[in-house]
Amino acid sequence: MKNYNYILGLSIVTLSLFSCNNSNSKADGYGNFEATEITISAENNGKLMQFDVTEGNVLQKDQFIGYIDTIQLALKRDQLHVSKAVISSKSKGVLSQINVLNAKLNAANINKNRTQNLIKDNAGTQKQLDDILGEIDVIKNQIRSVEIQNAPVVNELKSIDVQSQQIKDLIQKSKIINPLNGTVLTKYTEPNEITTFGKPLYKIADLSTMQLRVYISETQLATIKIGQEVTIKIDDVDTMKSYKGIISWIASEAQFTPKIIQTKEERVALVYAVKIDVTNDGSLKIGMPAELWINKSDANN
């Protein structure tokens, strides 16, 4: 009986000490990990000819992963090239006429200068000069007339060039190029499906650095600052696993605690959201809960 009372008393003391230790080791904040998720959408219409994406794949920035059918665009591009060649041949004929007229104009100007010199030496007449000036005016009017006729041809060539650039841009956008380093979270479509502009293809996020969003009270604001190093803990098999985190953002305005927080009483309290960057070793997942532990001595440095 004495042994029983001794063991019972020892157990009570041990539990009391353990409870006291837990009460002094409460985390400074609780939250969940998140990452910036980006949905990649189609930039053109057509059949998805190739799409090398699997959920969980790690993709590199600027990696080619597939393309949308471009046959009709290629045919349109070839048609524009033929049209440009036909119109260019017409423009060359007009330009040759202008070249001939410019040659006549140069010859007339030479005659004008020669006649003016003859008049100074009393070897020429004013009528000869007037005839040459009249010829120059006629040639200039002819050149202007041909240029006016050629204007629509030039504009048409410019229009074809613009259309060709548009086709080139659409062909480029038919290629599916991954825009950032990250992990594929969700795949929305499959090869050989018909896709349209703006239709989601897959969702990707850079999981190399995760953000832990936690909510702290106003009284805790004085203990943290942007750039401060803190400790993050997650549940492990038998204990808690610790990570080093850097505070990257602190909300400037208070808000009511989100509904994901456990009790109704806590949800009506005003808190400040905080984001902490944590380097991911592969164990951290989106939505995973974690604890924030602040080193009070570091906050005052």
Side-chain angles (χ1 to χ4, degrees), residues 214-251:
V214 298
Y215 299 89
I216 63 173
S217 64
E218 185 176 4
T219 56
Q220 292 175 292
L221 278 180
T223 65
I224 64 171
K225 61 184 178 182
I226 293 177
Q228 177 181 338
E229 186 177 278
V230 294
T231 300
I232 304 300
K233 295 183 179 182
I234 63 171
D235 293 328
D236 206 350
V237 179
D238 298 318
T239 181
M240 300 290 287
K241 186 176 181 180
S242 297
Y243 293 84
K244 293 298 181 183
I246 302 295
I247 296 176
S248 59
W249 176 79
I250 302 173

Side-chain angles (χ1 to χ4, degrees), residues 7-20:
I7 293 172
L8 180 61
L10 183 61
S11 300
I12 292 173
V13 171
T14 302
L15 288 173
S16 299
L17 291 173
F18 180 75
S19 300
C20 291

Side-chain angles (χ1 to χ4, degrees), residues 26-88:
K26 185 177 180 181
D28 296 290
Y30 303 89
N32 299 84
F33 282 107
E34 58 185 35
T36 302
E37 302 176 8
I38 298 177
T39 300
I40 310 302
S41 302
E43 296 186 76
N44 203 357
N45 304 321
K47 186 176 182 179
L48 196 58
M49 303 300 293
Q50 179 182 338
F51 190 48
D52 302 329
V53 169
T54 303
E55 292 181 358
N57 277 3
V58 176
L59 302 179
Q60 302 301 314
K61 182 179 180 181
D62 297 328
Q63 180 177 340
F64 175 82
I65 56 176
Y67 69 95
I68 299 168
D69 182 21
T70 58
I71 291 178
Q72 294 301 318
L73 291 173
L75 292 174
K76 178 65 174 177
R77 178 191 59 194
D78 294 343
Q79 181 183 9
L80 289 173
H81 288 167
V82 172
S83 298
K84 183 176 181 179
V86 172
I87 296 171
S88 295

